[in-house]
Amino acid sequence: MKCPFCSNDNTRVIDSRPADDNYSIRRRRLCDECGKRFTTYEKVETIPLIVIKKDDNREQYDRAKLEAGVLRACHKRPVSVKQISQLIDDVEVEIFNREEKEIPSNVIGEMVMDKLKDIDAVAYVRFASVYREFKDVNTFMNELKKMLNQ
């Protein structure tokens, strides 16, 4: 592992433990050259997952895109980064437990909305408005009414 500070190849692991999500390993490393410490995370490589988009295009699953959408929905809301990360971890576990090579984007969107609903109602409505492509105020109001009735 290269040191991010001096780019030296000689680094060593000084501590190793499961990460908070229990699906990866957190390693503390020490650079033999500059003496600085840094952290790396090791994750099991999974089978490539293809997402089938609404227009039937296919693209490889990208956690960063999912995270960006959830972050946008939670902007200026009392939702912590830890909650967002946990939500995405939970969705990924559900997705990969299906053991399918392709998954429609609407299935992922429904999983996210289901979990967001429990975390923050406003973030849920924001995500739903983009995901379900609300065309007008009536569609928006119908979704709010559904949520209030639950």
Side-chain angles (χ1 to χ4, degrees):
M1 177 67 62
K2 272 191 172 184
C3 173
F5 304 105
C6 70
S7 298
N8 184 34
D9 284 334
N10 294 330
T11 63
R12 56 191 153 113
V13 175
I14 54 174
D15 181 39
S16 189
R17 65 178 76 168
D20 293 335
D21 62 3
N22 277 332
Y23 293 102
S24 56
I25 302 288
R26 177 185 183 273
R27 299 195 192 282
R28 279 300 281 161
R29 295 179 178 271
L30 175 69
C31 176
D32 291 337
E33 186 69 28
C34 68
K36 291 192 178 180
R37 295 177 181 212
F38 59 99
T39 303
T40 59
Y41 292 89
E42 185 178 308
K43 241 182 173 167
V44 174
E45 189 173 48
T46 56
I47 55 168
L49 179 68
I50 302 299
V51 177
I52 304 168
K53 306 295 279 182
K54 290 177 187 174
D55 61 1
D56 279 336
N57 280 334
R58 285 165 165 71
E59 63 182 52
Q60 193 161 352
Y61 170 77
D62 183 1
R63 179 186 172 101
K65 284 181 86 170
L66 182 59
E67 197 169 27
V70 174
L71 281 169
R72 259 183 261 117
C74 295
H75 183 68
K76 292 190 178 181
R77 297 298 307 152
V79 180
S80 71
V81 173
K82 187 175 181 179
Q83 285 176 299
I84 292 170
S85 187
Q86 185 63 52
L87 179 147
I88 294 167
D89 288 345
D90 292 346
V91 168
E92 280 188 337
V93 167
E94 276 186 54
I95 290 170
F96 288 113
N97 281 345
R98 296 170 73 113
E99 296 182 5
E100 296 172 0
K101 293 185 179 186
E102 293 186 333
I103 186 167
S105 62
N106 66 321
V107 172
I108 297 171
E110 292 296 329
M111 288 178 189
V112 171
M113 285 192 300
D114 188 48
K115 294 183 184 323
L116 259 180
K117 195 182 294 185
D118 298 334
I119 294 174
D120 187 85
V122 173
Y124 163 77
V125 173
R126 286 178 178 173
F127 190 88
S129 70
V130 173
Y131 170 72
R132 292 197 174 136
E133 298 175 342
F134 292 170
K135 300 291 183 209
D136 56 25
V137 176
N138 291 330
T139 315
F140 200 83
M141 287 304 292
N142 290 340
E143 188 66 32
L144 288 173
K145 286 175 187 172
K146 271 194 259 176
M147 208 175 109
L148 290 172
N149 289 335
Q150 289 179 353

